[in-house]
Amino acid sequence: MNTGARSRRTLRTGDVLHDEFGTPYELVEQIGKGGQGEVWSVTGGRAAVKVLRSARPEDLAPLRTRLTLIRRFDLGTIPIAKPLAMLDSSQGGPVGYAMELLADMTGIGTLASPPATENVADWYNRTGGLRRRLRLLTLTAEAMGGLHARAVAYADVSPTNIRVSRDHGQEQLWLIDPDNLTVDSSAADDALFTPGYGAPEVVGRRAGVSTASDAFAFAVLAFQVLVLAHPFIGERVYDDPVTLQDKAYSGELPWIDHPTDERNRTRQGLRRECALTKGLRRLFGRTFEEGLHEPGARPLMTEWRTKLDQASMSTIVCPGCRGTYYASAPGCLWCGAVRPLLARCDLYAHVPPQPGIPGLADHAGQTDRLETLLLTAGGSALIRARNALVCLDRGPSALPVEGDEPVAEIAWDGASTVTVERMGRHEVWLRDPHGERTIGLQPGYRRELPVSGSGRWTVRLGPAEQIHRFLRFTSQKAGQSQQAVSR
């Protein structure tokens, strides 16, 4: 074990740093590196340290003040690392701080960089496929949207700062580098961005970081994770990166999927129908076209969260290759297998009469379809709080409601029966086709319902006397064989 890190700027695995309270942190792996410094995981897996590059003794007081303010932010259940303590730099050691870190996490950028030694399609599906990428990006958008709702910008959205489960079967998210959080920034401030992810106004020093620059960086990252191509690196930039890469990153070149400007096209990445819904394509277009130099025209994180979540719910698992793809395709876009028979679950909201509210006291009914969830024969889907509940801040107890909480699991036998199981603390009840019979489910209990017949049962999610959401079921025909993976 090397304890000489205090006198050396270059950090190495095995170095031991101490915080202001004397707690030791043995460095394990560099998990992030940017313009400000380095982030290292430490022994024990529950913390990380950030060391600021070229920091001076006079930087200590501002950093301490900044971290103190961040600790006071009401971040609720947002999955972001909390600062723990300043590093001890009294003996010439590095300036920085310790922060929380979940174990067994990796940068989301690992889902955008296929190894040269493996088939791209095999690797894409082995690492969770389309559905997992959409789910992780949904969680990212939800977390960043939570910050933006508090008028806080994350500032440095990057492939390493957004951490995801290393286990490809898990869907956990964690944001690190909390010292970058800001409620105000100007062009005169030091620019906080990772090259390739900075919004043009930040790269050009025309404006500081903001929630709008966060939205731009998120769109770049989301496009890479889904499509496996940077939205501004076309064939021209690949051929002449020294001359054109900085221009591409600053917004001087069109994005690679611009509908009319073909100067920056590329053959790189997955075919768009494999990776993107029409709704997602529209959001990318708004960000990289009218929003390229007009921050106010960019989609909000709430829009990204909604479209990404809807996209993930519209994916199905191929019985052959086990890859996930959009059910709108007639067949698996990875192996060409015919799309299996589907059961469709449409999500609506029910609005009961609202006594005392003008215009709503005597009116009740259902909304138009909000979302659609698809089931394959023998498969199941988890209904989460973000989809089931109307108000996530109004749970049935004093406990905060998290968007990822399970509410119910829905399974289909491939014929005429759907099984509904209540999974958590949120109310689930069933109503017959004629509205004459209701069945409440206790946690852990399940019930079989017919899909077809003279009418359709509905699964109600929430108290009957309040606005709540509900599911209806229908079946669909099988698809046709199709295969189209890469450009």
Side-chain angles (χ1 to χ4, degrees):
M1 183 182 299
N2 189 338
T3 58
R6 292 176 179 269
S7 60
R8 187 180 63 241
R9 286 184 177 272
T10 302
L11 299 175
R12 300 175 182 173
T13 298
D15 286 345
V16 177
L17 307 179
H18 293 78
D19 66 20
E20 56 192 331
F21 305 112
T23 305
Y25 299 95
E26 182 181 355
L27 305 187
V28 175
E29 178 187 9
Q30 185 184 100
I31 60 175
K33 184 176 182 180
Q36 281 192 315
E38 307 169 7
V39 179
W40 286 75
S41 63
V42 301
T43 301
R46 304 298 298 179
V49 295
K50 180 173 182 178
V51 176
L52 303 186
R53 185 182 297 110
S54 302
R56 302 159 296 178
E58 54 265 36
D59 294 330
L60 280 171
L63 177 62
R64 185 183 297 277
T65 300
R66 188 175 186 81
L67 294 180
T68 299
L69 289 173
I70 290 169
R71 289 192 192 99
R72 294 175 181 172
F73 285 162
D74 177 17
L75 300 180
T77 57
I78 297 173
I80 187 169
K82 309 297 191 299
L84 297 174
M86 296 281 290
L87 295 180
D88 179 9
S89 57
S90 61
Q91 303 299 317
V95 174
Y97 65 95
M99 71 180 97
E100 296 174 330
L101 181 71
L102 297 185
D104 298 321
M105 306 288 278
T106 186
I108 197 171
T110 58
L111 299 179
S113 303
T117 57
E118 190 171 355
N119 176 272
V120 171
D122 292 343
W123 168 83
Y124 196 87
N125 289 317
R126 180 178 62 79
T127 52
L130 176 63
R131 179 181 292 174
R132 180 172 184 252
R133 284 167 169 79
L134 290 167
R135 289 278 304 125
L136 291 172
L137 289 169
T138 298
L139 296 177
T140 305
E142 186 173 84
M144 291 178 59
L147 292 175
H148 292 181
R150 294 163 171 80
V152 175
Y154 183 58
D156 190 14
V157 179
S158 76
T160 56
N161 282 350
I162 297 172
R163 314 295 292 178
V164 299
S165 307
R166 194 180 297 272
D167 183 344
H168 300 149
Q170 300 295 316
E171 297 172 351
Q172 199 164 22
L173 177 89
W174 195 247
L175 307 181
I176 63 172
D177 259 12
D179 64 299
N180 291 330
L181 297 183
T182 181
V183 295
D184 188 26
S185 178
S186 69
D189 296 331
D190 289 337
L192 290 174
F193 67 90
T194 296
Y197 301 88
E201 69 273 11
V202 177
V203 175
R205 304 300 293 269
R206 298 184 298 275
V209 294
S210 64
T211 55
S213 66
D214 277 359
F216 185 92
F218 172 82
V220 173
L221 183 61
F223 192 85
Q224 281 189 295
V225 169
L226 294 173
V227 177
L228 308 183
H230 190 287
F232 287 91
I233 304 298
E235 298 301 331
R236 291 182 62 198
V237 182
Y238 277 113
D239 293 339
D240 189 6
V242 174
T243 303
L244 296 178
Q245 182 168 282
D246 288 344
K247 289 185 177 181
Y249 288 161
S250 63
E252 296 179 47
L253 294 177
W255 78 298
I256 60 176
D257 284 354
H258 196 286
T260 59
D261 193 334
E262 300 184 354
R263 289 178 296 154
N264 201 24
R265 288 281 190 263
T266 182
R267 298 183 298 274
Q268 303 295 320
L270 301 181
R271 292 187 58 160
R272 304 305 181 254
E273 59 266 36
C274 287
L276 307 177
T277 60
K278 291 181 179 179
L280 290 176
R281 291 185 208 183
R282 284 193 292 269
L283 293 189
F284 284 120
R286 284 170 53 194
T287 303
F288 300 140
E289 291 164 33
E290 55 264 41
L292 183 60
H293 297 296
E294 181 50 61
R298 295 167 191 163
L300 301 176
M301 295 312 302
T302 51
E303 295 180 78
W304 281 109
R305 192 213 72 81
T306 297
K307 291 300 182 184
L308 286 163
D309 193 41
Q310 289 176 346
S312 71
M313 292 177 69
S314 68
T315 59
I316 59 175
V317 180
C318 175
C321 69
R322 306 304 298 171
T324 50
Y325 64 97
Y326 294 120
S328 56
C332 178
L333 298 175
W334 304 103
C335 71
V338 174
R339 189 188 70 196
L341 191 67
L342 302 175
R344 171 173 166 167
C345 312
D346 289 327
L347 184 67
Y348 302 84
H350 175 73
V351 183
Q354 305 292 302
I357 301 179
L360 292 179
D362 301 319
H363 297 280
Q366 71 178 50
T367 65
D368 293 334
R369 179 173 57 87
L370 301 174
E371 297 180 56
T372 294
L373 178 69
L374 298 168
L375 300 173
T376 54
S380 64
L382 197 63
I383 309 298
R384 304 172 191 272
R386 66 171 48 83
N387 306 110
L389 305 184
V390 176
C391 298
L392 293 186
D393 60 346
R394 291 175 54 198
S397 71
L399 295 175
V401 180
E402 297 185 23
D404 227 31
E405 285 185 45
V407 174
E409 186 173 36
I410 314 292
W412 180 49
D413 67 354
S416 59
T417 303
V418 166
T419 302
V420 181
E421 179 178 355
R422 177 174 168 180
M423 299 296 293
R425 58 194 171 102
H426 302 288
E427 189 170 327
V428 177
W429 50 288
L430 314 173
R431 174 174 284 183
D432 74 6
H434 307 291
E436 299 173 351
R437 182 186 180 201
T438 61
I439 301 172
L441 292 182
Q442 296 299 314
Y445 279 67
R446 64 181 63 183
R447 185 86 181 198
E448 294 183 349
L449 301 176
V451 174
S452 58
S454 59
R456 288 176 289 179
W457 283 76
T458 57
V459 179
R460 304 276 166 166
L461 307 165
E465 68 279 3
Q466 298 179 15
I467 299 175
H468 62 270
R469 293 181 176 177
F470 65 92
L471 286 166
R472 277 205 183 108
F473 303 98
T474 57
S475 59
Q476 291 186 337
K477 295 180 179 179
Q480 301 172 357
S481 178
Q482 180 171 327
Q483 182 173 6
V485 176
S486 60
R487 280 192 175 276

